[in-house]
PDB file of all heavy atoms in Angstrom:
ATOM      1  N   LYS A 158      -2.020  14.286   8.254  1.00 86.00           N
ATOM      2  CA  LYS A 158      -1.713  12.904   8.533  1.00 86.00           C
ATOM      3  C   LYS A 158      -1.391  12.176   7.269  1.00 86.00           C
ATOM      4  O   LYS A 158      -1.721  12.629   6.154  1.00 86.00           O
ATOM      5  CB  LYS A 158      -2.904  12.238   9.263  1.00 86.00           C
ATOM      6  CG  LYS A 158      -3.243  12.802  10.603  1.00 86.00           C
ATOM      7  CD  LYS A 158      -4.473  12.089  11.173  1.00 86.00           C
ATOM      8  CE  LYS A 158      -4.812  12.678  12.553  1.00 86.00           C
ATOM      9  NZ  LYS A 158      -5.967  12.039  13.140  1.00 86.00           N
ATOM     10  N   LEU A 159      -0.833  10.994   7.440  1.00 85.00           N
ATOM     11  CA  LEU A 159      -0.549  10.128   6.254  1.00 85.00           C
ATOM     12  C   LEU A 159      -1.897   9.408   5.954  1.00 85.00           C
ATOM     13  O   LEU A 159      -2.590   8.908   6.872  1.00 85.00           O
ATOM     14  CB  LEU A 159       0.510   9.074   6.598  1.00 85.00           C
ATOM     15  CG  LEU A 159       1.949   9.652   6.631  1.00 85.00           C
ATOM     16  CD1 LEU A 159       2.897   8.539   7.034  1.00 85.00           C
ATOM     17  CD2 LEU A 159       2.354  10.239   5.284  1.00 85.00           C
ATOM     18  N   VAL A 160      -2.207   9.314   4.694  1.00 85.00           N
ATOM     19  CA  VAL A 160      -3.387   8.608   4.251  1.00 85.00           C
ATOM     20  C   VAL A 160      -3.039   7.711   3.130  1.00 85.00           C
ATOM     21  O   VAL A 160      -2.018   7.877   2.446  1.00 85.00           O
ATOM     22  CB  VAL A 160      -4.520   9.618   3.774  1.00 85.00           C
ATOM     23  CG1 VAL A 160      -5.010  10.450   4.937  1.00 85.00           C
ATOM     24  CG2 VAL A 160      -4.018  10.521   2.718  1.00 85.00           C
ATOM     25  N   GLY A 161      -3.848   6.652   2.927  1.00 84.00           N
ATOM     26  CA  GLY A 161      -3.622   5.701   1.817  1.00 84.00           C
ATOM     27  C   GLY A 161      -3.810   6.435   0.495  1.00 84.00           C
ATOM     28  O   GLY A 161      -4.621   7.296   0.355  1.00 84.00           O
ATOM     29  N   ALA A 162      -3.023   6.008  -0.477  1.00 81.00           N
ATOM     30  CA  ALA A 162      -3.122   6.640  -1.788  1.00 81.00           C
ATOM     31  C   ALA A 162      -2.710   5.635  -2.880  1.00 81.00           C
ATOM     32  O   ALA A 162      -2.151   4.596  -2.586  1.00 81.00           O
ATOM     33  CB  ALA A 162      -2.166   7.819  -1.851  1.00 81.00           C
ATOM     34  N   ALA A 163      -3.034   5.956  -4.090  1.00 79.00           N
ATOM     35  CA  ALA A 163      -2.651   5.163  -5.245  1.00 79.00           C
ATOM     36  C   ALA A 163      -1.152   5.396  -5.534  1.00 79.00           C
ATOM     37  O   ALA A 163      -0.576   6.385  -5.052  1.00 79.00           O
ATOM     38  CB  ALA A 163      -3.512   5.573  -6.487  1.00 79.00           C
ATOM     39  N   ALA A 164      -0.545   4.554  -6.298  1.00 76.00           N
ATOM     40  CA  ALA A 164       0.873   4.643  -6.459  1.00 76.00           C
ATOM     41  C   ALA A 164       1.234   5.957  -7.222  1.00 76.00           C
ATOM     42  O   ALA A 164       2.236   6.581  -6.894  1.00 76.00           O
ATOM     43  CB  ALA A 164       1.334   3.453  -7.298  1.00 76.00           C
ATOM     44  N   SER A 165       0.420   6.341  -8.199  1.00 73.00           N
ATOM     45  CA  SER A 165       0.704   7.557  -8.938  1.00 73.00           C
ATOM     46  C   SER A 165       0.737   8.787  -8.009  1.00 73.00           C
ATOM     47  O   SER A 165       1.501   9.714  -8.176  1.00 73.00           O
ATOM     48  CB  SER A 165      -0.217   7.705 -10.098  1.00 73.00           C
ATOM     49  OG  SER A 165      -1.558   7.842  -9.682  1.00 73.00           O
ATOM     50  N   ALA A 166      -0.306   8.802  -7.092  1.00 69.00           N
ATOM     51  CA  ALA A 166      -0.406   9.953  -6.163  1.00 69.00           C
ATOM     52  C   ALA A 166       0.744   9.951  -5.154  1.00 69.00           C
ATOM     53  O   ALA A 166       1.170  11.029  -4.760  1.00 69.00           O
ATOM     54  CB  ALA A 166      -1.758   9.963  -5.467  1.00 69.00           C
ATOM     55  N   ALA A 167       1.146   8.768  -4.752  1.00 65.00           N
ATOM     56  CA  ALA A 167       2.226   8.733  -3.766  1.00 65.00           C
ATOM     57  C   ALA A 167       3.568   9.129  -4.357  1.00 65.00           C
ATOM     58  O   ALA A 167       4.420   9.694  -3.632  1.00 65.00           O
ATOM     59  CB  ALA A 167       2.323   7.324  -3.201  1.00 65.00           C
ATOM     60  N   TYR A 168       3.786   8.881  -5.617  1.00 67.00           N
ATOM     61  CA  TYR A 168       5.048   9.241  -6.207  1.00 67.00           C
ATOM     62  C   TYR A 168       5.081  10.654  -6.785  1.00 67.00           C
ATOM     63  O   TYR A 168       6.062  11.119  -7.335  1.00 67.00           O
ATOM     64  CB  TYR A 168       5.402   8.229  -7.355  1.00 67.00           C
ATOM     65  CG  TYR A 168       5.894   6.950  -6.814  1.00 67.00           C
ATOM     66  CD1 TYR A 168       5.246   5.757  -7.056  1.00 67.00           C
ATOM     67  CD2 TYR A 168       6.962   6.862  -5.872  1.00 67.00           C
ATOM     68  CE1 TYR A 168       5.671   4.554  -6.567  1.00 67.00           C
ATOM     69  CE2 TYR A 168       7.403   5.710  -5.401  1.00 67.00           C
ATOM     70  CZ  TYR A 168       6.728   4.502  -5.686  1.00 67.00           C
ATOM     71  OH  TYR A 168       7.168   3.316  -5.162  1.00 67.00           O
ATOM     72  N   THR A 169       3.946  11.352  -6.720  1.00 65.00           N
ATOM     73  CA  THR A 169       3.854  12.752  -7.184  1.00 65.00           C
ATOM     74  C   THR A 169       3.842  13.622  -5.836  1.00 65.00           C
ATOM     75  O   THR A 169       2.750  13.724  -5.339  1.00 65.00           O
ATOM     76  CB  THR A 169       2.642  13.026  -8.034  1.00 65.00           C
ATOM     77  OG1 THR A 169       2.670  12.115  -9.086  1.00 65.00           O
ATOM     78  CG2 THR A 169       2.700  14.448  -8.605  1.00 65.00           C
ATOM     79  N   PRO A 170       4.902  14.278  -5.413  1.00 62.00           N
ATOM     80  CA  PRO A 170       4.881  15.046  -4.230  1.00 62.00           C
ATOM     81  C   PRO A 170       3.912  16.168  -4.303  1.00 62.00           C
ATOM     82  O   PRO A 170       3.572  16.667  -5.429  1.00 62.00           O
ATOM     83  CB  PRO A 170       6.307  15.568  -4.063  1.00 62.00           C
ATOM     84  CG  PRO A 170       7.126  14.687  -4.938  1.00 62.00           C
ATOM     85  CD  PRO A 170       6.247  14.163  -6.023  1.00 62.00           C
ATOM     86  N   GLN A 171       3.425  16.633  -3.145  1.00 59.00           N
ATOM     87  CA  GLN A 171       2.438  17.705  -3.116  1.00 59.00           C
ATOM     88  C   GLN A 171       3.038  18.939  -3.717  1.00 59.00           C
ATOM     89  O   GLN A 171       4.058  19.384  -3.388  1.00 59.00           O
ATOM     90  CB  GLN A 171       2.037  17.924  -1.686  1.00 59.00           C
ATOM     91  CG  GLN A 171       0.748  18.650  -1.516  1.00 59.00           C
ATOM     92  CD  GLN A 171       0.273  18.651  -0.040  1.00 59.00           C
ATOM     93  OE1 GLN A 171       1.031  18.169   0.832  1.00 59.00           O
ATOM     94  NE2 GLN A 171      -0.874  19.146   0.222  1.00 59.00           N
ATOM     95  N   GLY A 172       2.322  19.563  -4.612  1.00 60.00           N
ATOM     96  CA  GLY A 172       2.772  20.828  -5.252  1.00 60.00           C
ATOM     97  C   GLY A 172       3.455  20.512  -6.621  1.00 60.00           C
ATOM     98  O   GLY A 172       3.549  21.418  -7.432  1.00 60.00           O
ATOM     99  N   LEU A 173       3.947  19.301  -6.824  1.00 61.00           N
ATOM    100  CA  LEU A 173       4.628  19.042  -8.082  1.00 61.00           C
ATOM    101  C   LEU A 173       3.655  18.187  -8.929  1.00 61.00           C
ATOM    102  O   LEU A 173       3.217  17.106  -8.544  1.00 61.00           O
ATOM    103  CB  LEU A 173       5.872  18.222  -7.876  1.00 61.00           C
ATOM    104  CG  LEU A 173       6.981  18.946  -7.072  1.00 61.00           C
ATOM    105  CD1 LEU A 173       8.160  18.008  -6.876  1.00 61.00           C
ATOM    106  CD2 LEU A 173       7.469  20.200  -7.758  1.00 61.00           C
ATOM    107  N   LYS A 174       3.293  18.737 -10.038  1.00 61.00           N
ATOM    108  CA  LYS A 174       2.399  18.039 -10.903  1.00 61.00           C
ATOM    109  C   LYS A 174       3.089  17.800 -12.305  1.00 61.00           C
ATOM    110  O   LYS A 174       4.061  18.405 -12.581  1.00 61.00           O
ATOM    111  CB  LYS A 174       1.141  18.942 -11.214  1.00 61.00           C
ATOM    112  CG  LYS A 174       0.414  19.293  -9.955  1.00 61.00           C
ATOM    113  CD  LYS A 174      -0.361  18.098  -9.388  1.00 61.00           C
ATOM    114  CE  LYS A 174      -1.131  18.523  -8.135  1.00 61.00           C
ATOM    115  NZ  LYS A 174      -1.532  17.405  -7.375  1.00 61.00           N
ATOM    116  N   PRO A 175       2.574  16.797 -13.030  1.00 59.00           N
ATOM    117  CA  PRO A 175       3.173  16.598 -14.352  1.00 59.00           C
ATOM    118  C   PRO A 175       3.007  17.834 -15.169  1.00 59.00           C
ATOM    119  O   PRO A 175       2.149  18.687 -14.962  1.00 59.00           O
ATOM    120  CB  PRO A 175       2.307  15.427 -14.921  1.00 59.00           C
ATOM    121  CG  PRO A 175       1.534  14.920 -13.797  1.00 59.00           C
ATOM    122  CD  PRO A 175       1.518  15.909 -12.753  1.00 59.00           C
ATOM    123  N   LEU A 176       3.842  17.970 -16.178  1.00 63.00           N
ATOM    124  CA  LEU A 176       3.817  19.134 -17.049  1.00 63.00           C
ATOM    125  C   LEU A 176       2.417  19.290 -17.732  1.00 63.00           C
ATOM    126  O   LEU A 176       1.842  18.317 -18.154  1.00 63.00           O
ATOM    127  CB  LEU A 176       4.876  19.022 -18.152  1.00 63.00           C
ATOM    128  CG  LEU A 176       6.321  19.182 -17.608  1.00 63.00           C
ATOM    129  CD1 LEU A 176       7.328  19.035 -18.755  1.00 63.00           C
ATOM    130  CD2 LEU A 176       6.522  20.553 -17.035  1.00 63.00           C
ATOM    131  N   VAL A 177       1.994  20.487 -17.809  1.00 62.00           N
ATOM    132  CA  VAL A 177       0.712  20.795 -18.421  1.00 62.00           C
ATOM    133  C   VAL A 177       1.027  21.513 -19.736  1.00 62.00           C
ATOM    134  O   VAL A 177       2.043  22.123 -19.900  1.00 62.00           O
ATOM    135  CB  VAL A 177      -0.106  21.777 -17.484  1.00 62.00           C
ATOM    136  CG1 VAL A 177      -1.562  21.698 -17.835  1.00 62.00           C
ATOM    137  CG2 VAL A 177       0.073  21.395 -16.042  1.00 62.00           C
ATOM    138  N   SER A 178       0.127  21.466 -20.638  1.00 65.00           N
ATOM    139  CA  SER A 178       0.321  22.109 -21.921  1.00 65.00           C
ATOM    140  C   SER A 178       0.395  23.613 -21.752  1.00 65.00           C
ATOM    141  O   SER A 178      -0.192  24.183 -20.854  1.00 65.00           O
ATOM    142  CB  SER A 178      -0.806  21.790 -22.951  1.00 65.00           C
ATOM    143  OG  SER A 178      -1.990  22.396 -22.456  1.00 65.00           O
ATOM    144  N   THR A 179       1.279  24.191 -22.532  1.00 66.00           N
ATOM    145  CA  THR A 179       1.518  25.670 -22.417  1.00 66.00           C
ATOM    146  C   THR A 179       0.629  26.487 -23.300  1.00 66.00           C
ATOM    147  O   THR A 179       0.804  27.669 -23.398  1.00 66.00           O
ATOM    148  CB  THR A 179       2.955  25.960 -22.793  1.00 66.00           C
ATOM    149  OG1 THR A 179       3.253  25.508 -24.080  1.00 66.00           O
ATOM    150  CG2 THR A 179       3.930  25.332 -21.771  1.00 66.00           C
ATOM    151  N   GLU A 180      -0.358  25.849 -23.921  1.00 74.00           N
ATOM    152  CA  GLU A 180      -1.326  26.641 -24.718  1.00 74.00           C
ATOM    153  C   GLU A 180      -2.197  27.471 -23.881  1.00 74.00           C
ATOM    154  O   GLU A 180      -2.638  27.094 -22.759  1.00 74.00           O
ATOM    155  CB  GLU A 180      -2.146  25.651 -25.550  1.00 74.00           C
ATOM    156  CG  GLU A 180      -1.332  24.768 -26.560  1.00 74.00           C
ATOM    157  CD  GLU A 180      -2.184  23.745 -27.215  1.00 74.00           C
ATOM    158  OE1 GLU A 180      -3.423  23.874 -27.088  1.00 74.00           O
ATOM    159  OE2 GLU A 180      -1.642  22.882 -27.819  1.00 74.00           O
ATOM    160  N   SER A 181      -2.498  28.680 -24.330  1.00 72.00           N
ATOM    161  CA  SER A 181      -3.411  29.522 -23.548  1.00 72.00           C
ATOM    162  C   SER A 181      -4.856  29.016 -23.648  1.00 72.00           C
ATOM    163  O   SER A 181      -5.277  28.525 -24.653  1.00 72.00           O
ATOM    164  CB  SER A 181      -3.311  30.920 -24.032  1.00 72.00           C
ATOM    165  OG  SER A 181      -3.769  31.015 -25.416  1.00 72.00           O
ATOM    166  N   PRO A 182      -5.577  29.135 -22.524  1.00 69.00           N
ATOM    167  CA  PRO A 182      -6.959  28.634 -22.544  1.00 69.00           C
ATOM    168  C   PRO A 182      -7.830  29.538 -23.391  1.00 69.00           C
ATOM    169  O   PRO A 182      -7.466  30.651 -23.683  1.00 69.00           O
ATOM    170  CB  PRO A 182      -7.392  28.726 -21.069  1.00 69.00           C
ATOM    171  CG  PRO A 182      -6.468  29.722 -20.494  1.00 69.00           C
ATOM    172  CD  PRO A 182      -5.177  29.652 -21.231  1.00 69.00           C
ATOM    173  N   ALA A 183      -8.904  28.973 -23.794  1.00 73.00           N
ATOM    174  CA  ALA A 183      -9.884  29.740 -24.589  1.00 73.00           C
ATOM    175  C   ALA A 183     -10.410  30.924 -23.854  1.00 73.00           C
ATOM    176  O   ALA A 183     -10.651  30.833 -22.625  1.00 73.00           O
ATOM    177  CB  ALA A 183     -11.017  28.872 -25.105  1.00 73.00           C
ATOM    178  N   LEU A 184     -10.733  32.005 -24.513  1.00 71.00           N
ATOM    179  CA  LEU A 184     -11.255  33.217 -23.842  1.00 71.00           C
ATOM    180  C   LEU A 184     -12.695  32.910 -23.368  1.00 71.00           C
ATOM    181  O   LEU A 184     -13.498  32.358 -24.115  1.00 71.00           O
ATOM    182  CB  LEU A 184     -11.283  34.373 -24.790  1.00 71.00           C
ATOM    183  CG  LEU A 184      -9.933  34.997 -25.101  1.00 71.00           C
ATOM    184  CD1 LEU A 184     -10.099  36.113 -26.086  1.00 71.00           C
ATOM    185  CD2 LEU A 184      -9.300  35.588 -23.839  1.00 71.00           C
ATOM    186  N   ILE A 185     -12.956  33.244 -22.162  1.00 72.00           N
ATOM    187  CA  ILE A 185     -14.312  33.087 -21.659  1.00 72.00           C
ATOM    188  C   ILE A 185     -15.135  34.304 -21.915  1.00 72.00           C
ATOM    189  O   ILE A 185     -16.229  34.227 -22.444  1.00 72.00           O
ATOM    190  CB  ILE A 185     -14.275  32.792 -20.136  1.00 72.00           C
ATOM    191  CG1 ILE A 185     -13.566  31.499 -19.880  1.00 72.00           C
ATOM    192  CG2 ILE A 185     -15.697  32.750 -19.552  1.00 72.00           C
ATOM    193  CD1 ILE A 185     -13.264  31.201 -18.397  1.00 72.00           C
ATOM    194  N   PHE A 186     -14.553  35.469 -21.608  1.00 70.00           N
ATOM    195  CA  PHE A 186     -15.275  36.699 -21.833  1.00 70.00           C
ATOM    196  C   PHE A 186     -14.511  37.445 -23.005  1.00 70.00           C
ATOM    197  O   PHE A 186     -13.716  38.269 -22.783  1.00 70.00           O
ATOM    198  CB  PHE A 186     -15.275  37.614 -20.647  1.00 70.00           C
ATOM    199  CG  PHE A 186     -15.935  36.966 -19.474  1.00 70.00           C
ATOM    200  CD1 PHE A 186     -15.263  36.433 -18.375  1.00 70.00           C
ATOM    201  CD2 PHE A 186     -17.344  36.868 -19.396  1.00 70.00           C
ATOM    202  CE1 PHE A 186     -15.874  35.822 -17.334  1.00 70.00           C
ATOM    203  CE2 PHE A 186     -17.956  36.291 -18.350  1.00 70.00           C
ATOM    204  CZ  PHE A 186     -17.237  35.729 -17.312  1.00 70.00           C
ATOM    205  N   GLY A 187     -14.782  37.100 -24.195  1.00 66.00           N
ATOM    206  CA  GLY A 187     -14.098  37.603 -25.358  1.00 66.00           C
ATOM    207  C   GLY A 187     -14.674  38.889 -25.904  1.00 66.00           C
ATOM    208  O   GLY A 187     -14.306  39.269 -26.995  1.00 66.00           O
ATOM    209  N   THR A 188     -15.555  39.530 -25.207  1.00 65.00           N
ATOM    210  CA  THR A 188     -16.147  40.736 -25.745  1.00 65.00           C
ATOM    211  C   THR A 188     -15.190  41.909 -25.613  1.00 65.00           C
ATOM    212  O   THR A 188     -14.366  41.938 -24.684  1.00 65.00           O
ATOM    213  CB  THR A 188     -17.434  41.044 -25.021  1.00 65.00           C
ATOM    214  OG1 THR A 188     -17.180  41.236 -23.625  1.00 65.00           O
ATOM    215  CG2 THR A 188     -18.459  39.989 -25.136  1.00 65.00           C
ATOM    216  N   PRO A 189     -15.244  42.798 -26.534  1.00 64.00           N
ATOM    217  CA  PRO A 189     -14.295  43.949 -26.431  1.00 64.00           C
ATOM    218  C   PRO A 189     -14.662  44.859 -25.216  1.00 64.00           C
ATOM    219  O   PRO A 189     -15.813  44.951 -24.809  1.00 64.00           O
ATOM    220  CB  PRO A 189     -14.554  44.729 -27.755  1.00 64.00           C
ATOM    221  CG  PRO A 189     -15.816  44.224 -28.241  1.00 64.00           C
ATOM    222  CD  PRO A 189     -16.054  42.887 -27.706  1.00 64.00           C
ATOM    223  N   THR A 190     -13.613  45.418 -24.655  1.00 64.00           N
ATOM    224  CA  THR A 190     -13.805  46.267 -23.487  1.00 64.00           C
ATOM    225  C   THR A 190     -14.182  47.673 -23.912  1.00 64.00           C
ATOM    226  O   THR A 190     -13.820  48.149 -24.968  1.00 64.00           O
ATOM    227  CB  THR A 190     -12.592  46.271 -22.608  1.00 64.00           C
ATOM    228  OG1 THR A 190     -11.460  46.736 -23.397  1.00 64.00           O
ATOM    229  CG2 THR A 190     -12.297  44.864 -22.069  1.00 64.00           C
TER     230      THR A 190
END
Side-chain angles (χ1 to χ4, degrees):
K158 296 179 180 179
L159 287 176
V160 293
S165 62
Y168 285 121
T169 306
Q171 199 169 4
L173 298 176
K174 301 288 181 196
L176 289 178
V177 199
S178 67
T179 57
E180 297 174 12
S181 61
L184 287 177
I185 297 173
F186 301 104
T188 59
T190 57

